[in-house]
Amino acid sequence: MRLMDLQVELERWLMHAGPNRIAQPEALATPLTAPGPLDLFEAPLVGVASAADPLWGRLRAPDVVGPHHLPPDAWVPGARSVVAFFLPFTARVREANRVPTETATEWLYGRYEGGFLVEAMAEALAAHLRASGWRALVPVTDPRYAVQAMRANWSERHAAYIAGLGTFSLSRSLITRAGSAGRIGSVVTDAPLPHTPRLYETLDAYCGRCGACIPRCPAAAITEAGKEHGPCKVWQDGTLARHQPRYGCGKCQTRTPCEHRIPVRR
Ligand code: SF4
Ligand code: SF4
C-alpha cells in the first residue's frame, strides 16, 4: 500500500463524510460570517512514521511527554507504522476566528463536531487497513487511552511530528505546510507502509518566533518562552461553561502568520 493510496482513501472518505458539512449552523457565540452550510475541513495532509523510530522512546522522557507515553507496539503488537493526518480548517472556520477573545461560532463547530469527525476518519482508515489484512488501531479511541496531568499516553501532535507532518509552534500546536489551524488524527498498524521523511531537524523549525500569537491569547498563556498549559486549560474550560457542549479557543492559531502556511523566518 502506497502513501498515495492512503491519501486517496482519506480524501474519498472526507468528500463523502456527512459530518464535514454543518447543514444549518446556528449563531452560538458570534454572528455567523456567512449564510448557508458550513464546511469544516479541507483535504488532509498524510504522513507515515516508522514504529521503530527512536523518537518514540524520547517521548517517554519527563520533559517531553512522560514515562506513561506508550510506544506504537504497546498499542498494536508488532506495529510497523503510524499513520498521522492533519485536517486543515476551511477558510471560513479560520477567518471567522480572527476576531479577538470570544471563540467564533464556526470554530466551536470545528472543534466539537470536527473532533468527532477526526475520530471517525481515523476509525475508517483503521477499518480500511484491517480490511486489507493488517492490524490497525486508533489509540485515542482505545479504552487504554488516558490523560495524566494534562499529558496523554498517546500524543497525536508528536506522532504527526515524527511522521514528518510539521513542527511545534511557540503556542505548542503543530505547524504544517497547511498551517496550524486544524486537527490531527492517527492510526497505529502492523502494515509495512512507506515512511515519509522529516524535512526538518529541530522541534520548532517551522515557527518564525514572530510572537504574533502572544497578544492573541486571551488567557495570557503564551510568552516568548512558550505556553503554560494551566491558564490555557482554565480559559478553555470557561468556553465549555459558556457554550456547552462545545468549547475551544484557537486564537493562537488564527490571525497569525502560521495560520495556514509555514511562516517565513525573519
Ligand atoms: S504566531 Fe509566530 S511565534 Fe506564534 S506560533 Fe506562529 S510563527 Fe510561531
Ligand atoms: S488555545 Fe487560546 S487560551 Fe490556549 S494558548 Fe491558544 S490562544 Fe491561549
Side-chain angles (χ1 to χ4, degrees), residues 12-32:
R12 186 197 61 76
W13 187 90
L14 186 67
M15 192 177 299
H16 298 290
N20 197 35
R21 172 160 292 190
I22 308 297
Q24 292 184 307
E26 296 173 28
L28 303 169
T30 57
L32 289 162

Side-chain angles (χ1 to χ4, degrees), residues 18-66:
N20 197 35
R21 172 160 292 190
I22 308 297
Q24 292 184 307
E26 296 173 28
L28 303 169
T30 57
L32 289 162
T33 55
L38 170 65
D39 289 337
L40 300 179
F41 296 111
E42 298 173 352
L45 309 180
V46 186
V48 180
S50 166
D53 195 304
L55 284 182
W56 296 112
R58 284 277 299 123
L59 302 191
R60 294 169 71 87
D63 61 337
V64 185
V65 180

Side-chain angles (χ1 to χ4, degrees), residues 153-230:
N153 59 358
W154 178 254
S155 169
E156 296 203 294
R157 278 177 305 148
H158 285 88
Y161 175 87
I162 297 171
L165 284 182
T167 80
F168 290 89
S169 71
L170 191 65
S171 55
R172 308 317 290 161
S173 56
L174 195 84
I175 303 177
T176 72
R177 67 176 191 273
S180 62
R183 301 298 307 276
I184 297 167
S186 60
V187 175
V188 181
T189 178
D190 61 0
L193 302 168
H195 305 138
T196 44
R198 284 191 290 276
L199 304 178
Y200 39 79
E201 292 181 357
T202 57
L203 276 176
D204 62 350
Y206 290 172
C207 175
R209 309 288 295 189
C210 64
C213 51
I214 296 174
R216 286 283 291 158
C217 179
I222 309 170
T223 66
E224 289 180 359
K227 176 177 133 178
E228 280 187 62
H229 292 288

Side-chain angles (χ1 to χ4, degrees), residues 81-186:
S81 308
V82 176
V83 184
F85 59 87
F86 177 81
L87 278 166
F89 284 127
T90 57
R92 186 170 159 197
V93 172
R94 291 185 284 104
E95 290 171 8
N97 204 43
R98 290 177 183 172
V99 294
T101 311
E102 183 59 272
T103 311
T105 288
E106 288 85 343
W107 191 273
L108 291 174
Y109 278 113
R111 189 78 177 76
Y112 186 71
E113 277 81 355
F116 292 119
L117 181 149
V118 171
E119 287 185 4
M121 190 176 202
E123 291 289 0
L125 178 60
H128 178 73
L129 288 162
R130 287 194 293 267
S132 301
W134 305 106
R135 282 187 285 182
L137 177 146
V138 180
V140 299
T141 61
D142 188 85
R144 291 172 292 167
Y145 180 73
V147 180
Q148 288 177 18
M150 292 189 278
R151 291 184 176 193
N153 59 358
W154 178 254
S155 169
E156 296 203 294
R157 278 177 305 148
H158 285 88
Y161 175 87
I162 297 171
L165 284 182
T167 80
F168 290 89
S169 71
L170 191 65
S171 55
R172 308 317 290 161
S173 56
L174 195 84
I175 303 177
T176 72
R177 67 176 191 273
S180 62
R183 301 298 307 276
I184 297 167
S186 60

